[in-house]
Amino acid sequence: MNTESAALSRKLEISAGRIEAVISMLDEGATVPFISRYRKERTGGLDEVAVRDIQLELEKFRTLEKRKAAIIESIENSGLMTAELMKKIESCNESTALEDLYAPFKPKRRTRATIAREKGLEGLARIIMSGRTEPRKAAVRFAATSCGGDVEDALAGASDIIAEWASESIRLRNALRRTFRREASLKASVAKGKENDERLATYRNYLEFDRPLRSVISHQYLALRRAEEEGLLRLRYTLADEKNTAGAIAAMFVPEQACDEAAEVIRAAATDAFSRLLKPSIENEIAAAMKEQADTDAIALFSSNLRQLLMAPPLRGKAVLAIDPGFRTGCKVVCLDSNGRLLDDTVIYPTPPRSDIAGAACTLRRLISIHGIEAIALGNGTASRETGEFLRNEGIMPREAVNIVNENGASIYSASDIAREEFPDKDVTVRGAVSIGRRLIDPLAELVKIDPKSIGVGQYQHDVDHTRLKDALDYTVMSCVNAVGVDLNTASPRLLSYISGIGPQLASNIVAYRDANGPFRRRSALMKVPRLGAKAFEQAAGFLRINDGDNPLDSTGIHPETYAAVENFARSRKKDIASLIADKEFLKTLSADEISECTGIGHETASDIIAELIKPGRDPRTEAAEAAAFSSDIKNFEDLHEGMHVDGVVNNITAFGAFVNIGIKENALIHISQLADRHVAAVNDVLSIGQKISARIIEIDFERRRIGLSMKNMPRK
């Protein structure tokens, strides 16, 4: 068992052997989806969440080990390393404790203590800390040689050195950390000179914020930090009884054997250290820890929301008419086949100022007839409600065939290089409408083309660590794409780039090869793609589907490395692969043990093979939900009143509540406290993005155009 696997085993409570197997594969370049899907025997059946946890903890562990190595080198170069210190550093498993060990040896900027050392006063400081000599008497000798005979100057310098020692004391730092976590509060006040700043309206709930640190919620902390960075609020970390805390901390630094005079000097120096060095340092540390936790919570919520959007069920096998609604410039209309290919585009004007109802209805009916349209995707932006009313009033299609689609990010896609490559001869309005329609046909395939931060879910995304956010969102997209799998012959380069082992360059090479040589007939033909070697093939092949190809297994999630075993099993039962897949009743009688005994493959893999043979290329996304219907008596904000019941669709989930589209321009908010009659720990325990809800309006803010909803005592959709 190596050090890494042992440490991660203790942290994650997973056996060291399973962790060691995962680490080995990660180091060989395997991806999390590949390991969790096709190497279950090696990992003991660890799922994707567990494998991802190992990957993240491994990164943290190696970062800490790298920092240890740098610290050891620094201390050794200074000639101050001891066997005891080396042992403490090597056994340290927490970054805060590691930095505490390094603090006394870290190269320092020029400080009061540095100046005192340059005067030769460190010896006096050590004498005072011994506690056996009266400080003033000891200072006389040092003053004569270092301070021009000034005893007070010598004592002050020695005190500065003692204060620095106190600030670096692990015992004192831990004591103050515990006190902060237990007793400290975070207070906010309006920054001087900003009392009349209009931007304060955004933070009106935080202007007199005062809460214990332990009860500050992550989203509150991010909001406060943003207000502070904008110069609007001043944040302070306060202790209820700071004077007594300082005294108690200082007393801890006084040696038991110290005489009264020495104890007084040491106590005064430690008290100075508390206010000047120790407290600011711990405040910075606490602030950094709170920011890191707030980032973690926000990123996790963003990732969860993104996963829900990406894994929304596709609308299979239907041609779609997509509408990007508008007023003055009209509604952009496109017709797409069931695979999302653009068939037609035009503009209609059913809304003011033109209000060409008859002409718009005639155009849509003609397009629906020509292209066999079976569903409508209506963007939820400006003029969405009015366009929806037009569709219903004119009976363009049955109500259940009209789907409201979140169009966040469609304009960004329409101006992107990807959109220009797809539709070089179309303007941005047509591209945006195409994106809306494709989001209904296959949300995953379309949304991967857009930066996740532009999709309109999550909270405080601009305030969290951008590197961590990008890593988490990229992983979420990769996880979803590989969970579903992609059609090798129709997938876009962007979609292919998220497949395990592929990446942008190989994705482009695959599409170029496909364009030059025609559709892939076998997975094995991937090996002919330039720069796609054996390792990339191993990682990617199982997640790529070929429908109606030469080998029926290529349409399944069965990996080519087990084809021979499956074919041997089929022969042993007097079947070929096609007849084996067709015989569902026979497959349902099979056990994993039966296949394992016949082929020698592992039990976990055999179970997956049976599932894939029963339902080749199974899609984990659920069936499409029926279209949402909004309250018909609400046309704009002014139609609302408290007590009104409304229907809506959840658009975004945050830590403090859910934003709901109720069919008008303004989204409504259901605060977490209004989600249910019982206590709700997390919003996503109750709601999910895209969920239909019924709620009651409990608050309307006409000035800020905000709507508050409650789901208490309301039926669930």
Side-chain angles (χ1 to χ4, degrees):
M1 187 194 324
N2 62 36
T3 305
E4 289 180 336
S5 56
L8 268 60
S9 178
R10 290 190 295 270
K11 179 77 175 286
L12 299 173
E13 298 183 347
I14 299 173
S15 70
R18 297 161 87 186
I19 288 178
E20 198 163 343
V22 172
I23 291 175
S24 174
M25 287 184 280
L26 288 171
D27 287 344
E28 292 168 0
T31 66
V32 171
F34 175 79
I35 294 170
S36 57
R37 176 66 177 83
Y38 295 112
R39 292 296 180 263
K40 292 180 178 178
E41 276 74 29
R42 285 189 65 181
T43 68
L46 293 178
D47 62 18
E48 186 176 345
V49 174
V51 176
R52 174 64 169 169
D53 285 345
I54 292 171
Q55 182 188 46
L56 294 176
E57 289 300 326
L58 178 64
E59 291 172 359
K60 292 178 184 177
F61 180 86
R62 288 179 172 173
T63 298
L64 184 65
E65 290 299 300
K66 186 176 180 180
R67 179 60 177 158
K68 284 182 185 180
I71 287 173
I72 289 171
E73 181 180 10
S74 175
I75 297 175
E76 286 181 334
N77 288 342
S78 69
L80 298 174
M81 181 62 77
T82 65
E84 181 182 3
L85 178 59
M86 177 69 82
K87 184 177 180 181
K88 287 181 179 178
I89 292 173
E90 289 179 338
S91 63
C92 191
N93 56 14
E94 205 268 320
S95 59
T96 299
L98 180 62
E99 296 303 327
D100 280 351
L101 288 170
Y102 183 42
F105 308 96
K106 185 183 297 185
K108 298 177 176 62
R109 58 183 176 82
R110 188 173 171 79
T111 64
R112 284 161 48 174
T114 306
I115 295 169
R117 287 191 179 91
E118 292 171 354
K119 291 181 178 180
L121 295 174
E122 187 163 8
L124 175 59
R126 296 191 183 281
I127 291 172
I128 295 172
M129 280 301 298
S130 71
R132 293 188 294 272
T133 304
E134 292 181 11
R136 188 166 292 278
K137 289 182 180 179
V140 171
R141 175 166 56 88
F142 284 88
T145 58
S146 304
C147 303
D150 190 334
V151 173
E152 296 301 327
D153 188 28
L155 284 172
S159 293
D160 286 338
I161 295 172
I162 293 171
E164 186 172 271
W165 288 341
S167 73
E168 295 169 348
S169 165
I170 294 176
R171 185 182 176 207
L172 267 58
R173 294 182 71 84
N174 284 335
L176 187 54
R177 284 189 187 107
R178 289 192 296 270
T179 302
F180 256 87
R181 293 180 184 128
R182 187 175 62 248
E183 301 175 11
S185 294
L186 178 61
K187 293 186 178 182
S189 57
V190 177
K192 186 176 181 180
K194 300 295 183 180
E195 294 82 1
N196 299 317
D197 196 309
E198 294 180 355
R199 293 175 297 166
L200 282 175
T202 304
Y203 303 103
R204 64 174 61 182
N205 295 332
Y206 297 97
L207 300 186
E208 296 180 356
F209 188 88
D210 185 355
R211 284 196 181 182
L213 283 181
R214 63 180 180 274
S215 65
V216 176
I217 303 171
S218 291
H219 74 266
Q220 294 173 333
Y221 191 69
L222 290 174
L224 288 164
R225 291 270 299 218
R226 179 192 290 178
E228 183 182 43
E229 290 173 0
E230 292 177 1
L232 299 174
L233 296 182
R234 176 173 174 255
L235 303 186
R236 290 180 298 129
Y237 301 84
T238 63
L239 291 167
D241 195 348
E242 188 169 313
K243 185 176 180 180
N244 283 339
T245 299
I249 295 291
M252 293 173 60
F253 201 59
V254 178
E256 291 183 6
Q257 75 278 10
C259 64
D260 291 345
E261 293 85 348
E264 183 179 350
V265 173
I266 296 168
R267 191 179 297 109
T271 301
D272 171 53
F274 176 88
S275 59
R276 184 167 58 86
L277 302 171
L278 193 54
K279 183 170 177 282
S281 174
I282 297 301
E283 284 178 352
N284 289 338
E285 185 182 292
I286 293 290
M290 291 182 68
K291 175 63 164 59
E292 182 177 5
Q293 185 58 53
D295 283 2
T296 297
D297 294 344
I299 290 170
L301 184 58
F302 199 145
S303 298
S304 174
N305 288 348
L306 178 61
R307 184 176 293 274
Q308 290 178 34
L309 278 177
L310 295 178
M311 297 300 281
L315 188 70
R316 302 180 189 281
K318 293 184 178 181
V320 169
L321 183 145
I323 305 175
D324 184 359
F327 287 116
R328 183 181 57 82
T329 57
C331 299
K332 277 63 69 180
V333 178
V334 299
C335 296
L336 309 172
D337 70 12
S338 59
N339 291 316
R341 286 188 285 265
L342 178 62
L343 304 173
D344 210 337
D345 68 271
T346 189
V347 181
I348 59 174
Y349 298 89
T351 58
R354 292 202 192 181
S355 299
D356 180 15
I357 304 296
C362 180
T363 297
L364 292 188
R365 290 193 176 98
R366 177 177 59 81
L367 292 174
I368 289 169
S369 174
I370 292 173
H371 300 296
I373 299 297
E374 297 176 80
I376 292 178
L378 174 61
N380 68 339
T382 302
S384 177
R385 170 173 284 279
E386 291 78 4
T387 306
E389 285 185 358
F390 152 72
L391 294 173
R392 289 191 296 273
N393 293 340
E394 295 300 309
I396 300 298
M397 289 197 77
R399 188 181 185 118
E400 62 272 13
V402 180
N403 302 266
I404 306 299
V405 176
N406 190 329
E407 61 182 55
N408 280 332
S411 60
I412 292 175
Y413 159 77
S414 64
S416 69
D417 292 339
I418 295 174
R420 282 192 289 271
E421 289 174 9
E422 286 191 283
F423 305 106
D425 58 339
K426 299 296 182 181
D427 66 23
V428 292
T429 61
V430 174
R431 297 170 191 161
V434 169
S435 182
I436 291 170
R438 286 177 171 178
R439 292 183 190 200
L440 180 63
I441 294 171
D442 190 340
L444 177 61
E446 187 62 21
L447 291 175
V448 296
K449 301 174 185 175
I450 303 168
D451 183 343
K453 296 192 293 297
S454 301
I455 294 177
V457 296
Q459 59 179 9
Y460 300 106
Q461 62 195 55
H462 301 295
D463 301 291
V464 302
D465 183 287
H466 291 175
T467 300
R468 289 181 61 198
L469 178 62
K470 183 180 186 304
D471 178 68
L473 298 185
D474 284 348
Y475 171 76
T476 300
V477 176
M478 181 183 73
S479 172
C480 293
V481 170
N482 287 280
V484 173
V486 305
D487 188 323
L488 181 57
N489 287 320
T490 61
S492 67
R494 181 76 167 189
L495 189 60
L496 283 168
S497 71
Y498 284 104
I499 286 292
S500 169
I502 297 295
Q505 185 57 59
L506 282 182
S508 296
N509 293 354
I510 289 171
V511 173
Y513 182 89
R514 187 176 72 196
D515 291 343
N517 298 279
F520 287 91
R521 299 296 302 169
R522 285 179 171 269
R523 278 172 169 164
S524 56
L526 276 167
M527 296 294 289
K528 298 178 181 178
V529 173
R531 295 184 172 276
L532 200 155
K535 187 66 178 180
F537 180 82
E538 177 192 59
Q539 295 293 306
F543 302 108
L544 298 168
R545 311 279 186 263
I546 298 177
N547 297 312
D548 301 320
D550 296 338
N551 188 337
L553 292 178
D554 285 344
S555 67
T556 74
I558 297 173
H559 198 283
E561 66 190 5
T562 57
Y563 280 8
V566 177
E567 290 162 354
N568 288 337
F569 176 78
R571 281 193 293 270
S572 73
R573 298 301 187 268
K574 305 295 190 292
K575 297 176 181 289
D576 59 20
I577 294 297
S579 61
L580 180 66
I581 292 175
D583 195 345
K584 304 301 181 186
E585 293 305 315
F586 170 72
L587 290 172
K588 290 176 182 178
T589 67
L590 285 178
S591 69
D593 290 338
E594 188 175 353
I595 292 182
S596 292
E597 290 172 6
C598 178
T599 64
I601 61 178
H603 185 276
E604 297 272 8
T605 299
S607 294
D608 287 343
I609 287 173
I610 293 173
E612 284 290 339
L613 291 173
I614 291 174
K615 191 175 181 182
R618 65 191 189 278
D619 192 330
R621 295 172 291 182
T622 55
E623 293 301 316
E626 61 183 271
F630 299 118
S631 306
S632 59
D633 53 346
I634 302 175
K635 296 179 174 60
N636 53 57
F637 190 90
E638 285 66 30
D639 293 333
L640 305 177
H641 60 79
E642 291 186 14
M644 176 182 282
H645 286 205
V646 296
D647 295 320
V649 179
V650 177
N651 266 358
N652 190 15
I653 290 176
T654 68
F656 54 85
F659 288 96
V660 180
N661 177 12
I662 60 172
I664 60 176
K665 179 180 179 181
E666 296 81 5
N667 279 332
L669 172 67
I670 307 177
H671 190 269
I672 188 171
S673 62
Q674 296 295 326
L675 285 176
D677 299 315
R678 57 180 173 81
H679 170 71
V680 174
V683 180
N684 50 16
D685 288 343
V686 177
L687 297 178
S688 58
I689 289 180
Q691 182 176 339
K692 295 187 298 177
I693 61 101
S694 291
R696 182 178 66 260
I697 297 177
I698 59 173
E699 181 182 5
I700 301 175
D701 185 336
F702 286 93
E703 179 184 352
R704 294 190 287 175
R705 300 186 76 79
R706 293 186 178 181
I707 309 155
L709 302 180
S710 174
M711 289 177 60
K712 290 183 175 181
N713 301 314
M714 294 294 295
R716 298 300 170 89
K717 289 284 185 180

